[in-house]
Amino acid sequence: MQTDTTTGAAITFDAVGKTFPKKGGGNVMALEGISLSVEPGTITGIIGRSGAGKSTLLRMVNGLEKPTSGQVVVAGRDVGAAGAAGLRDIRREVGMIFQHFNLLSSRTVAENVALPLEIAGTPTPEIRARVDDLIARVGLEAFRNRYPSELSGGQKQRVGVARALATRPKVLLSDEATSALDPETTQTVLKLLADINRDLGLTILLITHEMAVVRDIASHVAVIEGGRIVEEGATYDVFTAPRHPTTKSFLSSVTGVTMPNFIARQLVETRPEGPAQEVLRITFVGEKATEPLLARMGTEMGIHVNILAGAVEEIGPRPFGNLLISVDADRADAARAFLGQHEQRTEVLGYVR
């Protein structure tokens, strides 16, 4: 079934819902009212905790799951309405890499990469040329005749990436592809995916529970909680101005702005009587993210700042900083005004004596 996709999105989720039968009768809701457009050539991260519904959402893109309601449209085709032949066509355009690699232990690196082409009935000379090209792209020329048991985790995932690219897909799905890897290997695989996105113009949809992965590679992000998307947008915008508590919780793991326990235990919502400190979160964005604004505020206005936690990060080429500070409550209005004049965002978190 062809569907009109006037938005030009590579993947469209339109009011998608999914329920599963429950033991003892009835249904359990996995997804509800999911609407999301993934634009061609972007890298979009879907982040959520275990059980949030992100894997179910990803599996709908290649028809491994069908929506109970709504539509999933990939490259102009309604996946849920596709018959067997239509699904085969869709799956040729959708590659997938997995958390645990899913390589065949009895096949060499080259033979694992060749498998999707063999299934598609590609002539042998074409298979050989395509496999050579893909193995070179992922940097495994010296390992083409090795078996999976002879490879490191990172090398196995590179084989998985090469195999996912074998049929020249338009969309690449990543199912927690780095969560089984150490941090250094994770960065290597993420760089490979970024290079593929840039060189081939491939649309990448990845699911993860690690905000650092989203920060390092994704241009767009959607946060899923309890089967619903609770926040979405450009990664930089979501990181610098998170709205939903789930997003803020995820961000605390990568921005260095977790509230210190000794402050959290004392924090109250309303200003107490007598001397008090106002606790602020400052988000430094844009060109001024690395300027010494707090030092200037102390010098020019005599407002002294106690820094509680913070870090300067980078999303793509753009820096941003996150700081938790406390200032004398009597001078807090002036401090927030000063920072606002310099285009920085502030949020009052509470007060401590």
Side-chain angles (χ1 to χ4, degrees):
M1 174 180 174
Q2 288 293 112
T3 301
D4 180 20
T5 52
T6 54
T7 63
I11 307 168
T12 301
F13 300 94
D14 183 9
V16 170
K18 178 67 178 178
T19 59
F20 292 100
K22 190 165 53 174
K23 262 187 178 180
N27 294 310
V28 59
M29 186 273 295
L31 297 171
E32 185 176 3
I34 298 288
S35 292
L36 179 70
S37 292
V38 179
E39 298 305 314
T42 60
I43 301 178
T44 297
I46 306 288
I47 188 163
R49 299 184 178 92
S50 296
K54 57 188 187 295
S55 291
T56 301
L57 190 66
L58 195 77
R59 288 165 62 86
M60 288 183 179
V61 177
N62 59 8
L64 294 176
E65 297 285 356
K66 290 196 173 187
T68 308
S69 58
Q71 283 184 317
V72 180
V73 178
V74 178
R77 296 185 176 93
D78 184 340
V79 181
L87 272 179
R88 282 195 296 272
D89 290 340
I90 290 169
R91 286 169 180 165
R92 287 192 190 100
E93 296 184 349
V94 180
M96 190 163 184
I97 53 177
F98 303 89
Q99 177 180 359
H100 297 296
F101 320 126
N102 287 13
L103 303 180
L104 296 179
S105 60
S106 61
R107 281 180 164 246
T108 65
V109 166
E111 290 166 345
N112 266 285
V113 175
L115 182 60
L117 297 168
E118 293 172 7
I119 293 172
T122 306
T124 300
E126 290 182 30
I127 291 177
R128 190 176 300 115
R130 181 66 175 153
V131 169
D132 289 347
D133 177 64
L134 290 169
I135 288 177
R137 177 172 289 280
V138 300
L140 290 176
E141 297 99 318
F143 298 87
R144 63 176 297 121
N145 295 318
R146 301 278 184 92
Y147 289 90
S149 61
E150 302 174 277
L151 304 177
S152 68
Q155 289 165 344
K156 290 177 184 176
Q157 197 55 285
R158 283 172 170 267
V159 178
V161 171
R163 180 185 57 188
L165 296 175
T167 59
R168 292 184 169 85
K170 296 177 181 176
V171 172
L172 182 63
L173 307 180
S174 169
D175 185 3
E176 297 276 12
T178 60
S179 62
L181 306 176
D182 62 75
E184 184 177 351
T185 307
T186 291
Q187 288 303 312
T188 301
V189 172
L190 292 180
K191 183 181 183 304
L192 174 62
L193 293 178
D195 290 346
I196 288 168
N197 168 257
R198 183 192 66 239
D199 296 344
L200 304 181
L202 203 62
T203 304
I204 299 178
L205 180 63
L206 60 90
I207 63 170
T208 182
H209 61 274
E210 300 171 289
M211 208 62 162
V213 169
V214 174
R215 175 197 64 198
D216 291 344
I217 192 173
S219 56
H220 296 76
V221 61
V223 183
I224 188 168
E225 178 73 14
R228 289 178 170 274
I229 291 179
V230 296
E231 189 160 359
E232 64 169 295
T235 302
Y236 191 87
D237 295 339
V238 172
F239 265 65
T240 57
R243 301 185 307 274
H244 195 273
T246 299
T247 313
K248 293 177 181 179
S249 174
F250 276 121
L251 281 171
S252 68
S253 66
V254 295
T255 57
V257 291
T258 302
M259 180 79 70
N261 285 334
F262 77 95
I263 295 293
R265 286 194 297 267
Q266 303 175 57
L267 199 67
V268 294
E269 291 185 7
T270 56
R271 179 178 173 177
E273 293 184 7
Q277 293 275 308
E278 185 172 282
V279 179
L280 297 171
R281 183 196 311 276
I282 309 171
T283 303
F284 294 91
V285 295
E287 295 293 329
K288 298 184 179 181
T290 55
E291 287 188 12
L293 291 178
L294 296 184
R296 285 178 54 190
M297 190 166 68
T299 301
E300 296 174 14
M301 303 185 66
I303 298 175
H304 301 293
V305 172
N306 182 23
I307 297 176
L308 305 175
V312 175
E313 301 286 345
E314 189 176 60
I315 301 175
R318 301 171 67 189
F320 84 101
N322 245 318
L323 281 179
L324 294 184
I325 69 167
S326 65
V327 297
D328 189 319
D330 290 334
R331 304 297 311 278
D333 287 346
R336 283 186 268 107
F338 175 87
L339 292 166
Q341 288 167 5
H342 291 85
E343 302 172 7
Q344 306 310 309
R345 301 169 184 156
T346 60
E347 177 187 2
V348 180
L349 301 181
Y351 300 86
V352 294
R353 291 186 182 278

